[in-house]
Amino acid sequence: MDFTFTEEQQAAVEAARAVFSDVAPDRAPSPALTPGAVAGDIDRHLWHELARTDLLGLTLSPDHGGAGLDPIALCLVLRESAKVLARVPLLESCAVATALERYGERTLAAELLPRAGRGELILTVGANGRSGHDPAELAVSASPYGEGDGSGESGGADGETGGPSGGSGWVLDGVQSAVPWAQVADWIAVPAHTAGGRPVLALVPRTRDGVTLADQVSTSGERLAEVRLEAVRVEPRELIETAGCWDWLRSLLTTGTCALALGLGERVLAMTAEYTGGREQFGFPVATFQAVAVQAADRYIDLRAMEATLWQAAWRISADAGGPLPAAGDVAVAKIWASDGVRRVVQTAQHLHGGFGADTDYPLHRYHAWAKQIELSLGPAAAHEEALGDLLAAHPLG
């Protein structure tokens, strides 16, 4: 495999490093010492800096003011963001914007995407369903206008009445839990299912009638929301029916989460190397002890496996490349390694730091909390192992 990055992708990394160089991981209060969320808003200064350097429109086409790069470039930037625990919805906003451009209605894309790239709009997505254990699209139903409302419209797809073919729109009912920064987002992407069982993706303004939010808090202290939709009406152009849209968006979100895990793990291992290289026992740095060196080497191997599987998954969804398994198989492998790998890295780091790792004046405990959130986000390793097993059963190799 050749994971050499293009000049444009490398330029995006350099721009990201310049922006994130001024970000301190302990800029927000510690989640260990804060009841509830550590802050009520995203890091607005950082968000504006990302917009100023065109990193929010990285994957958008030049027609919408973007750089026209692929999801690999986004993952490279996300990797850098995790090293400083950047408190911005970079993954969610960029992923939704990319899906809208790829699958959505052109006039809505033209209206929203330039503003999203300039940082004027924040996009987020509900990808966890009601409980995080079932497919997210099953948590919300999408019914065409006229279904049970007495209007008598008919002629929708799959035997459904009304819908875009009738020009009247859709009604959403259901709940999406743990939606990142929904309270400050302008639009929320909501996966749903129709009466015929088709997955669709609705783009809903946060202030739309029938949308209510209840505060939730992540393990890392970031602000989440339970988004409840009660008879929420969306226009035909706000609902994407294109086959594969939600699956592709979810794959991008999962792959981006793996990039966050990789960046966080790399930073934690670097912190551990710095600490064990300076900490002495019996007159020698503890990094020279065999037991310490072996544990650090094992975690380095984890990170290299996380990196290889991440770029394989990012390449598959970027290039729509074929393979013995669907791209979802590579995404599942990447998430398995990311979930297990980032957990092992932070656990080893805590062990090798000793009591110093639990000091709330030292940032390691923050990385541990973020790692746990990333590990479980969009499904733990076991869930993706099950998904991979299903894919292997459906697509026998050899």
Side-chain angles (χ1 to χ4, degrees):
M1 294 183 232
D2 182 5
F3 290 144
T4 303
F5 301 113
T6 66
E7 291 184 3
E8 293 81 3
Q9 291 167 343
Q10 291 172 344
V13 173
E14 292 303 317
R17 286 174 178 167
V19 171
F20 295 129
S21 64
D22 293 331
V23 178
D26 55 359
R27 180 179 291 181
S30 166
L33 304 176
T34 308
V38 297
D41 198 0
I42 65 173
D43 187 335
R44 290 286 177 175
H45 174 74
L46 176 57
W47 190 251
H48 294 320
E49 284 298 300
L50 290 169
R52 184 184 62 80
T53 52
D54 298 325
L55 291 174
L56 296 183
L58 199 64
T59 57
L60 300 179
S61 70
D63 292 341
H64 294 128
L69 299 185
D70 56 18
I72 294 175
L74 174 60
C75 288
L76 285 166
V77 174
L78 290 168
R79 179 187 189 178
E80 298 303 315
S81 75
K83 295 178 182 179
V84 296
L85 307 182
R87 296 180 46 261
V88 287
L90 179 62
L91 169 58
E92 294 81 10
S93 197
C94 290
V96 172
T98 307
L100 174 58
E101 181 173 59
R102 183 182 176 104
Y103 295 101
E105 200 269 340
R106 291 185 178 181
T107 61
L108 184 63
E111 177 184 326
L112 299 185
L113 296 184
R115 297 183 63 198
R118 295 192 298 267
E120 299 169 2
L121 284 179
I122 295 176
L123 310 175
T124 190
V125 55
N128 296 299
R130 182 181 293 270
S131 65
H133 298 291
D134 298 316
E137 67 272 18
L138 299 184
V140 177
S141 63
S143 305
Y145 290 3
E147 187 170 308
D149 65 3
S151 69
E153 294 185 57
S154 62
D158 296 335
E160 296 157 359
T161 59
S165 60
S168 53
W170 300 80
V171 177
L172 303 180
D173 287 281
V175 175
Q176 290 289 344
S177 184
V179 180
W181 295 109
Q183 297 89 339
V184 298
D186 298 284
W187 289 72
I188 303 172
V190 179
H193 67 282
T194 67
R198 293 181 295 115
V200 294
L201 184 70
L203 291 160
V204 183
R206 172 178 52 83
T207 56
R208 181 68 53 85
D209 289 345
V211 176
T212 57
L213 308 180
D215 281 350
Q216 296 177 318
V217 182
S218 73
T219 301
S220 56
E222 299 302 312
R223 199 175 182 193
L224 307 175
E226 178 188 78
V227 178
R228 187 172 296 275
L229 304 107
E230 297 180 0
V232 176
R233 294 201 172 197
V234 296
E235 300 174 11
R237 68 173 189 155
E238 295 171 345
L239 189 132
I240 303 174
E241 293 188 82
T242 308
C245 173
W246 168 238
D247 288 339
W248 187 87
L249 175 55
R250 182 176 173 82
S251 291
L252 178 55
L253 291 167
T254 305
T255 305
T257 302
C258 296
L260 294 173
L262 176 62
L264 186 149
E266 288 176 330
R267 178 60 191 136
V268 166
L269 190 61
M271 291 169 62
T272 305
E274 181 180 355
Y275 176 78
T276 56
R279 172 72 170 173
E280 291 190 359
Q281 286 186 357
F282 312 112
F284 297 94
V286 297
T288 62
F289 298 168
Q290 185 179 41
V292 172
V294 167
Q295 291 182 71
D298 285 343
R299 300 296 77 82
Y300 177 82
I301 292 171
D302 277 336
L303 290 174
R304 297 290 68 80
M306 291 165 63
E307 185 175 18
T309 54
L310 163 65
W311 299 131
Q312 172 70 10
W315 172 71
R316 286 292 305 274
I317 64 175
S318 296
D320 291 325
L325 287 177
D330 291 287
V331 173
V333 171
K335 188 58 166 69
I336 292 166
W337 272 103
S339 293
D340 282 344
V342 76
R343 172 177 49 79
R344 288 193 291 259
V345 168
V346 295
Q347 286 178 344
T348 297
Q350 289 281 13
H351 175 63
L352 296 182
H353 275 81
F356 193 56
D359 187 345
T360 55
D361 290 329
Y362 186 68
L364 182 59
H365 75 285
R366 296 172 181 267
Y367 285 91
H368 201 153
W370 276 67
K372 179 55 67 173
Q373 179 68 28
I374 290 172
E375 176 193 350
L376 300 178
S377 178
L378 299 177
H384 289 273
E385 288 168 354
E386 182 177 353
L388 180 61
D390 292 340
L391 286 171
L392 288 169
H395 301 83
L397 303 180

